[in-house]
Amino acid sequence: MKEFLIGRLTRHALPHEWFTIGGTAAFVLMAVFVIAILTWTKRWRWLWNEWLTSVDPKKIGIMYFLVAGFMLVRGGLDAIMMWLQQAISVDGAHGYLTADHFQQIFTAHGNIMVFFVAMGFIFGLINYIVPLQIGARDLASPFLNTLGFWLYVAGVIMVNLFFVLGGEYAATGWLAIAPLSGIDFSPGVGVDYWIWSLQISGIGTTLGGINFIMTILKMRAPGMTLWKMPMFTWGSLCSMVMAVMVFPLLTATLFLLFFDRYFGAHFFTALGGGDPMMYTNLIWMWGHPEVYILVLPAFGVFAEVVTTFSRKRIASYTSCVLAMIGVSVFALSVWLHHFFTMGAGANVNAFFGVMTMVIAVPTSVLFLVWVATMHKGRIRFDTPMLWFLGFVAVFTIGGLAGVVLAVPPADFQLHNSLFLVAHFHSNVIGGVLFGIFAGITYWFPKITGFKLNERIGRYAFWCWIVGFCMSFIPMYILGFMGATRRLDHYESSTGYQPFYVLMLIGGIIIAIGVALQIVQVIASIIQKKRDTTGDPWDGRTLEWASASAPPFYNFSSIPQVTSRDAFWEMKQQGLPAKKYEDIHMPTNTASGIYIAAFAFLAGFAFVWHINWLVVVSIIGIIAVAIARTFNEHTEYTITAKEVKKIEEDRQAKVSAYRTKDNRPDMGLWEFIMVVLKFFLDAVRSKRWRTR
Amino acid sequence: MSKKQHTNTSSNGEHGTTSSYVVGFILSLVFTFVPYYLVTGHVLSGSALLATILVFAVLQMLVQIIFFLHLGRERKPRWNLIFFIQTVAVILLVVVASLWIMHHLHYNMTPVTREDASKKLIEDEGIGQIGGEKTGACIGTHTTHKVIIKDGRVSPVHTDAKACDMLTFINEDDATREMTFGTHPHHGVYAGESELSVRKGRPQSITLSETGTYQFHDHLDADAAGTFTVEP
Amino acid sequence: MAHTVAAELELESHEAAADDRVMFGFWVYLMTDLLMFAVLFAVYAVLHGNTAGGPAGNELFSKPLALTETLLLLTSSFTCGLGMIAARRGNKAQVLSWFMVTFLLGLTFLGLELREFSQLIHEGHTLSSSAFLSSFFVLVGTHGLHITSGLLWMGTTLVFVKKRGLNRHMVRKLSLLSLFWHFLDIVWIFIFTVVYLMAFV
């Protein structure tokens, strides 16, 4: 009876090791804190109506940022734990992590960073910015948008749930290669959590990809042909087209691994005719395009940043777009370079080695176009531009390392060494993460309505660059010295330790950089230097035509587009007079949350073999989906008169702010003083005691 | 203002007529029965049959795409058609590349004993022939002959061996010895080796794949010399 | 009055644009589904020879059964198309009858497939017997699951059409459903060829 009710869940699944207890305690404390604040300020209804059930891509974008930021800290903690272990675990000392725990950490680190940090931030940026850039009010399917977000959240919860129930995550590496990930060699629940967190959020990504494609192809402002679209939109389009092409491959492969583990199938098992090499083939067929999916929107961000901060048109729009398309086409033909050493032989390796080198060509074209854009521009070194320059330095190193690895004989020496690890981190951090930072700092005034604190932003940037170089340049050297990846212990005779210690120090500097970024955001909000024009950088693209932060309908009237850099054109011609028209907006919906909740329960039930819950959850998903699709009242209309009133109210509010706010940015010391004063005042004032 | 009978001009231009569906249906029936009877009637066989039934499958797919799904009749830009072509391209890549890669992996990585692996490689890649002409490739394990150099003296001074045996140089002196072939100061090459650096505790071996009598010596100390004869 | 007419027309074009987007978005979803099937086909192609000493396809499959299933599904695709023509003409009665026929044909197909599966399992040839059987059951079974979803979708849509009549919303639903149904028949063509016919080549 008990087995029927709760499957394979036992008391033993509850936390009983130091890190599961610690993790659970941390989550519980955070949850209690949030619940307390919401209850004390009586904001439950507000949270539900304004944020959780919202279909506004701006709100969904901000929610993506918050969740992704939270996961960045978690993934970063994993990294620090690994660096610490590797710095001290030499000869007789074995550090503080068991080998199995270390393996779970590097697996979780990889999954979290790729799926939940990078994809989360990218989806946040695309959600917020692309509709504004193309002059749309919303995405093509607001329902799919909220559903995609909540499926992502379900994946996030699933990947953290093992702390509370189960006690183990996959210890297989971030892609869980078979047969290690099969039921024979990983009998615990770790790999099952791995499967379902990726499966659920992967389906969310596919749905989001479809949504973004629909939006970009079908909802552009009148006059905006494809060849007049801004660069970030192009990068997002190429990325999302790739996403819908390859995420189904991941979905299928995860299902096959699930069938092996749950039903005893023989797809990737060592016996019964299974073929583990097929798993490696399939998973990398998805895995390689995935990194290009992450980096193409970042390329789009950099194109925007470089043009705005060089105050010039992009050097060659056509080359840039064709290069982005080229990258996304070639990205689908290189995946075997991840397993040159698996034994496919010279002919196969040669083909994929050549294709891998070919993909460096369009990437270089992009670099050349952006650097050419800077040439003879009047460059401003605001924070976004700094991130772009950091990208140029770091991504180039990573890219060159990639070309080395693309040569199969060289890869036979360097495969799975720290050289490889340094290569992909240079590209992912230098490309994707710096792109995300550039995007967030660039569009920060648009999203929040406040200008950025540049001073602390510079400190954060330099911490990142110095920390990154200290962490990853030694890693290239270690790779040449023969250090393999995922090492949790080594002999001092190898000579690795000084490098590992250097890497740990670099990691700590990066952590300081992250802390400073958080400080930068808070300081910017405290300073309240409002962006009253909506156009703080003298931008070129349409998103700057809306207010900062935009109203929920984005534009009171959809602008007419006649050229590239549409907003720049509008400013030259003189901004058009305000027109008001009826606006149709989608209603909020909780269906996304409900479906995602059932999907989460289904995944949970699969992990613990609770069969009745599987059935109930699937029925729940179907029931909510049917209810939603047969609901014909999903929109409401705001009349032109109402729009006019909203706009006029906003104008009145904005003119009340100081229009010329040239106060100098607060520095770090000033920030600490302000925060201390805030807490001291709060403690001294009797308000909270008599509430 | 009745909207009930509103005709939907969907983006994929689904203005199907009854005749298009009938034509599509009949063609599909034909493209189903023909391959079926080709297989059951044993008309063709092997890869010809496989290729034929696959062609019919693709043809039927095209029939249904055109007559049932009306692809290609939408207004420009024909996004549905573009996405379909792209999907087909990726599917071809996935399926064909997987088959190519897995075929090569299976060929190279199928577990066999060392003897079988060597034989397979020799036969398939034409390195040598077994039971036919010998091209110099050696397979299997044979006797190992040891040549020990101690206090500047070589023992045994002469070694008799058969083809494909191994000759191991063992240096029991502290100084490193540079073993080479021929007489000092002339240096020769044997079986691709010109110089062997032999340190104490690190012996070096060569495969005796060439028949004949040969000399060797330590380049740094010409008195340490010897000979070996390799018989076929 | 003129204001209301203008507003109605504007709403019409807004809704027509929305319909266009939904049809396109659903098409893109079908492409992703096709790609997922492509992986299952690739896996079948690689693993179908790995019978782990057990029987291969030519010992387990029945050609006449496969042909019957193919004809059932093909005919249902045809009747589905006829149902769509009726929907565009606004003929509610014909919509209901043609889609009922489609539903019944689809249900029969599913019944035959379930019987085939249960017979195989009864004889001891299960998904865990060999890699060949794993890939067979998952490929054909996934198609069967899609057919089941399609039938469920069809059933609920027909109920709503009966109750609410044939408005623009319902016609759009039926268009999406018929896209899905045609697509499932196309995937079946390849299952018929690659799984059932190829076993006897």
Side-chain angles (χ1 to χ4, degrees):
Chain A
M1 179 62 181
K2 193 173 86 129
E3 216 197 290
F4 172 75
L5 264 182
I6 58 173
R8 295 187 189 171
L9 258 180
T10 61
R11 255 202 316 265
H12 190 73
L14 288 168
H16 55 271
E17 295 186 55
W18 66 269
F19 56 96
T20 46
I21 295 175
T24 309
F27 289 137
V28 167
L29 275 170
M30 285 188 276
V32 162
F33 181 68
V34 169
I35 291 174
I37 293 202
L38 283 172
T39 314
W40 188 45
T41 54
K42 296 195 181 48
R43 293 272 204 159
W44 285 104
R45 190 123 286 263
W46 168 85
L47 185 70
W48 181 258
N49 287 334
E50 287 297 315
W51 287 92
L52 300 185
T53 57
S54 169
V55 293
D56 183 351
K58 297 187 287 299
K59 296 225 169 109
I60 294 181
I62 293 178
M63 289 196 285
Y64 266 115
F65 289 145
L66 291 173
V67 177
F70 174 72
M71 292 305 271
L72 176 63
V73 173
R74 159 112 161 75
L77 272 174
D78 282 333
I80 302 262
M81 285 177 81
M82 284 193 280
W83 270 318
L84 188 57
Q85 167 76 9
Q86 290 174 322
I88 63 179
S89 169
V90 186
D91 288 335
H94 284 267
Y96 68 104
L97 296 172
T98 61
D100 183 66
H101 187 188
F102 186 80
Q103 289 157 17
Q104 291 178 37
I105 292 180
F106 62 66
T107 308
H109 171 80
N111 281 130
I112 287 172
M113 290 305 201
V114 171
F115 281 91
F116 302 111
V117 176
M119 292 300 287
F121 276 122
I122 298 273
F123 267 59
L125 275 177
I126 300 182
N127 251 306
Y128 203 109
I129 300 297
V130 165
L132 287 169
Q133 280 201 333
I134 61 174
R137 297 195 192 288
D138 201 325
L139 292 192
S141 172
F143 165 63
L144 275 186
N145 201 11
T146 171
L147 175 61
F149 171 71
W150 286 108
L151 287 173
Y152 163 80
V153 170
V156 166
I157 298 178
M158 186 75 74
V159 88
N160 285 302
L161 189 60
F162 74 90
F163 280 111
V164 182
L165 279 176
E168 62 165 292
Y169 191 63
T172 53
W174 77 287
L175 284 179
I177 304 284
L180 179 59
S181 52
I183 195 75
D184 296 319
F185 300 103
S186 288
V189 293
V191 175
D192 297 305
Y193 273 126
W194 179 88
I195 290 177
W196 289 104
S197 63
L198 299 193
Q199 188 72 296
I200 295 174
S201 62
I203 292 177
T205 306
T206 310
L207 295 176
I210 297 175
N211 207 0
F212 292 134
I213 293 174
M214 276 201 277
T215 310
I216 296 174
L217 291 183
K218 298 268 181 188
M219 287 177 77
R220 282 165 280 136
M224 186 183 279
T225 61
L226 279 179
W227 288 91
K228 298 200 179 76
M229 288 200 313
M231 277 300 153
F232 179 66
T233 307
W234 264 115
S236 307
L237 177 66
C238 293
S239 166
M240 289 299 114
V241 168
M242 272 186 11
V244 304
M245 291 285 113
V246 301
F247 265 84
L249 308 179
L250 177 71
T251 307
T253 311
L254 289 177
F255 267 130
L256 295 177
L257 184 65
F258 160 71
F259 271 99
D260 270 5
R261 292 178 62 84
Y262 203 85
F263 295 110
H266 288 291
F267 290 105
F268 310 121
T269 54
L271 300 171
D275 195 343
M277 296 192 290
M278 188 59 175
Y279 179 90
T280 304
N281 180 44
L282 288 172
I283 204 81
W284 277 116
M285 238 188 260
W286 163 83
H288 190 82
E290 161 71 358
V291 304
Y292 286 96
I293 292 171
L294 295 178
V295 93
L296 276 169
F299 284 167
V301 170
F302 288 129
E304 302 282 2
V305 164
V306 96
T307 49
T308 304
F309 292 95
S310 307
R311 285 180 265 212
K312 254 184 82 190
R313 246 188 6 224
I314 195 157
S316 169
Y317 183 94
T318 314
S319 311
C320 207
V321 170
L322 288 178
M324 279 186 186
I325 297 176
V327 166
S328 47
V329 165
F330 286 121
L332 290 163
S333 65
V334 299
W335 74 90
L336 192 127
H337 67 231
H338 296 273
F339 48 98
F340 278 141
T341 56
M342 196 154 78
N347 285 341
V348 176
N349 281 0
F351 171 75
F352 283 97
V354 169
M355 292 312 293
T356 310
M357 285 185 258
V358 163
I359 209 172
V361 173
T363 320
S364 316
V365 167
L366 287 170
F367 264 71
L368 287 170
V369 168
W370 298 331
V371 171
T373 308
M374 286 172 71
H375 175 61
K376 287 210 179 142
R378 291 171 298 141
I379 302 177
R380 292 175 294 175
F381 289 98
D382 296 293
T383 317
M385 193 60 170
L386 288 179
W387 287 115
F388 167 72
L389 295 171
F391 151 78
V392 170
V394 171
F395 192 85
T396 307
I397 299 174
L400 292 173
V403 178
V404 169
L405 289 164
V407 181
D411 187 73
F412 267 71
Q413 298 298 316
L414 296 167
H415 176 66
N416 275 354
S417 68
L418 283 185
F419 185 87
L420 168 75
V421 175
H423 152 71
F424 67 68
H425 278 97
S426 304
N427 281 2
V428 173
I429 294 182
V432 182
L433 201 58
F434 284 10
I436 290 169
F437 293 157
I440 293 182
T441 48
Y442 179 53
W443 283 305
F444 184 86
K446 175 60 52 187
I447 296 174
T448 59
F450 299 107
K451 293 214 190 88
L452 259 187
N453 181 316
E454 286 291 321
R455 220 164 126 185
I456 300 182
R458 272 195 289 277
Y459 304 155
F461 168 75
W462 285 109
C463 280
W464 261 100
I465 288 286
V466 169
F468 177 85
C469 289
M470 226 192 251
S471 304
F472 290 95
I473 306 285
M475 215 185 268
Y476 284 109
I477 302 172
L478 270 183
F480 280 127
M481 285 167 67
T484 64
R485 69 193 296 195
R486 301 172 176 170
L487 268 183
D488 70 303
H489 177 265
Y490 52 93
E491 301 298 312
S492 58
S493 58
T494 53
Y496 298 161
Q497 190 171 26
F499 292 97
Y500 276 117
V501 172
L502 203 58
M503 279 157 51
L504 173 64
I505 299 174
I508 293 175
I509 298 178
I510 293 180
I512 296 174
V514 173
L516 284 173
Q517 285 175 302
I518 299 174
V519 165
Q520 178 190 21
V521 168
I522 300 176
S524 309
I525 295 178
I526 293 178
Q527 282 179 184
K528 284 196 167 52
K529 279 164 76 169
R530 287 196 188 272
D531 166 31
T532 51
T533 60
D535 183 19
W537 307 117
D538 198 20
R540 311 180 76 88
T541 41
L542 266 186
E543 74 269 26
W544 304 108
S546 62
S548 292
F552 62 94
Y553 46 79
N554 287 354
F555 302 97
S556 56
S557 61
I558 305 291
Q560 190 77 22
V561 170
T562 51
S563 72
R564 291 176 195 156
D565 288 349
F567 184 54
W568 191 256
E569 264 315 295
M570 281 162 69
K571 284 192 281 193
Q572 310 308 319
Q573 312 286 355
L575 292 169
K578 270 198 177 297
K579 271 191 321 169
Y580 300 110
E581 58 201 18
D582 285 353
I583 296 179
H584 309 285
M585 294 299 291
T587 53
N588 281 6
T589 175
S591 310
I593 300 181
Y594 297 148
I595 293 181
F598 279 120
F600 170 79
L601 283 176
F604 179 78
F606 276 125
V607 170
W608 292 104
H609 293 249
I610 308 174
N611 298 325
W612 68 265
L613 186 57
V614 170
V615 174
V616 164
S617 316
I618 293 181
I619 293 177
I621 295 175
I622 296 174
V624 177
I626 292 178
R628 165 70 196 187
T629 55
F630 284 95
N631 176 2
E632 298 188 23
H633 305 292
T634 55
E635 283 198 340
Y636 68 98
T637 309
I638 322 171
T639 59
K641 230 169 65 173
E642 287 167 334
V643 174
K644 186 154 179 259
K645 181 151 190 327
I646 297 175
E647 291 286 306
E648 283 168 355
D649 286 346
R650 159 180 290 271
Q651 252 326 101
K653 221 163 120 190
V654 160
S655 17
Y657 301 139
R658 279 186 273 182
T659 42
K660 268 204 164 294
D661 202 338
N662 289 327
R663 286 174 295 156
D665 280 333
M666 71 164 73
L668 206 45
W669 185 240
E670 203 189 322
F671 174 79
I672 295 173
M673 289 288 102
V674 165
V675 167
L676 274 177
K677 185 169 177 299
F678 172 79
F679 278 113
L680 285 172
D681 282 344
V683 164
R684 282 202 212 109
S685 87
K686 291 210 172 12
R687 271 192 310 154
W688 68 271
R689 275 186 236 161
T690 56
R691 253 267 186 160
Chain B
M1 273 283 153
S2 163
K3 285 186 270 195
K4 240 171 49 147
Q5 257 94 57
H6 185 92
T7 321
N8 186 13
T9 46
S10 61
S11 69
N12 67 351
E14 210 181 296
H15 285 307
T17 59
T18 317
S19 52
S20 77
Y21 282 108
V22 170
V23 169
F25 182 52
I26 293 176
L27 280 175
S28 299
L29 281 172
V30 169
F31 290 149
T32 305
F33 280 110
V34 169
Y36 183 76
Y37 283 111
L38 283 178
V39 171
T40 53
H42 304 290
V43 175
L44 292 169
S45 64
S47 44
L49 180 58
L50 183 60
T52 313
I53 60 174
L54 280 171
V55 165
F56 274 104
V58 171
L59 282 173
Q60 198 187 142
M61 176 189 76
L62 288 171
V63 161
Q64 293 206 14
I65 295 271
I66 296 172
F67 291 100
F68 288 359
L69 287 171
H70 313 290
L71 193 65
R73 286 200 231 145
E74 45 186 331
R75 286 195 317 275
K76 274 180 163 234
R78 303 204 182 96
W79 289 122
N80 286 24
L81 182 62
I82 293 172
F83 269 87
F84 178 70
I85 293 175
Q86 171 170 32
T87 305
V88 167
V90 175
I91 291 178
L92 282 175
L93 181 71
V94 166
V95 173
V96 171
S98 292
L99 286 169
W100 183 53
I101 293 169
M102 297 313 293
H103 170 73
H104 278 259
L105 281 170
H106 290 152
Y107 174 77
N108 286 333
M109 305 304 287
T110 313
V112 287
T113 62
R114 213 211 243 139
E115 288 273 338
D116 299 334
S118 308
K119 276 199 196 138
K120 193 163 71 117
L121 278 170
I122 289 169
E123 276 170 345
D124 290 346
E125 305 195 22
I127 304 172
Q129 287 197 9
I130 307 172
E133 297 160 47
K134 290 206 175 84
T135 59
C138 285
I139 56 163
T141 47
H142 300 270
T143 338
T144 304
H145 304 274
K146 293 197 189 135
V147 172
I148 300 174
I149 308 162
K150 195 175 156 75
D151 298 327
R153 303 168 71 84
V154 174
S155 78
V157 178
H158 176 79
T159 311
D160 279 307
K162 282 215 156 0
C164 293
D165 282 349
M166 295 252 289
L167 188 69
T168 306
F169 293 104
I170 302 171
N171 182 4
E172 291 187 2
D173 291 330
D174 290 319
T176 307
R177 294 193 178 278
E178 304 285 343
M179 306 307 298
T180 185
F181 304 98
T183 44
H184 190 72
H186 302 293
H187 290 225
V189 173
Y190 178 80
E193 302 276 3
S194 60
E195 210 168 82
L196 290 164
S197 215
V198 189
R199 282 181 11 220
K200 190 172 182 176
R202 286 183 196 263
Q204 298 281 357
S205 304
I206 54 169
T207 307
L208 300 173
S209 49
E210 290 176 27
T211 53
T213 304
Y214 301 92
Q215 293 171 309
F216 64 84
H217 65 274
D218 178 1
H219 170 62
L220 300 172
D221 174 12
D223 292 327
T227 53
F228 59 92
T229 304
V230 185
E231 256 145 62
Chain C
M1 253 306 106
H3 172 75
T4 330
V5 166
E8 277 241 28
L9 281 175
E10 192 263 322
L11 194 61
E12 281 267 323
S13 77
H14 174 77
E15 286 188 3
D19 283 351
D20 175 63
R21 283 197 294 269
V22 169
M23 294 294 287
F24 172 62
F26 191 74
W27 180 261
V28 177
Y29 155 71
L30 285 179
M31 297 298 106
T32 68
D33 221 354
L34 255 185
L35 280 159
M36 201 188 67
F37 273 108
V39 171
L40 299 181
F41 273 106
V43 169
Y44 184 83
V46 170
L47 293 179
H48 76 279
N50 296 15
T51 54
N58 55 4
E59 301 164 62
L60 294 174
F61 302 150
S62 150
K63 286 190 289 255
L65 176 65
L67 183 67
T68 314
E69 289 174 334
T70 309
L71 293 173
L72 280 169
L73 208 58
L74 176 59
T75 314
S76 74
S77 199
F78 175 58
T79 55
C80 176
L82 295 176
M84 273 320 294
I85 296 179
R88 294 202 190 292
R89 294 207 198 108
N91 189 331
K92 178 172 151 183
Q94 269 196 1
V95 165
L96 286 173
S97 36
W98 280 120
F99 274 100
M100 262 320 268
V101 172
T102 310
F103 184 88
L104 288 170
L105 289 169
L107 197 62
T108 316
F109 168 90
L110 196 63
L112 286 176
E113 194 164 85
L114 281 171
R115 206 174 67 159
E116 180 193 11
F117 278 17
S118 62
Q119 247 168 4
L120 284 171
I121 293 172
H122 193 68
E123 288 163 20
H125 308 300
T126 64
L127 162 318
S128 54
S129 303
S130 68
F132 156 66
L133 280 164
S134 300
S135 25
F136 166 75
F137 275 109
V138 170
L139 173 57
V140 182
T142 305
H143 180 265
L145 265 175
H146 278 75
I147 293 278
T148 312
S149 323
L151 288 174
L152 185 63
W153 187 0
M154 213 181 285
T156 46
T157 308
L158 290 177
V159 164
F160 274 91
V161 166
K162 196 144 197 294
K163 278 172 44 184
R164 290 191 195 169
L166 209 57
N167 60 18
R168 118 174 276 124
H169 207 77
M170 288 299 138
V171 171
R172 185 173 90 178
K173 282 235 177 309
L174 289 169
S175 309
L176 295 175
L177 173 59
S178 67
L179 265 186
F180 188 64
W181 198 256
H182 292 310
F183 153 83
L184 283 180
D185 190 39
I186 291 176
V187 175
W188 179 261
I189 299 170
F190 287 96
I191 295 185
F192 174 62
T193 309
V194 171
V195 176
Y196 291 101
L197 288 185
M198 196 169 85
F200 296 98
V201 167

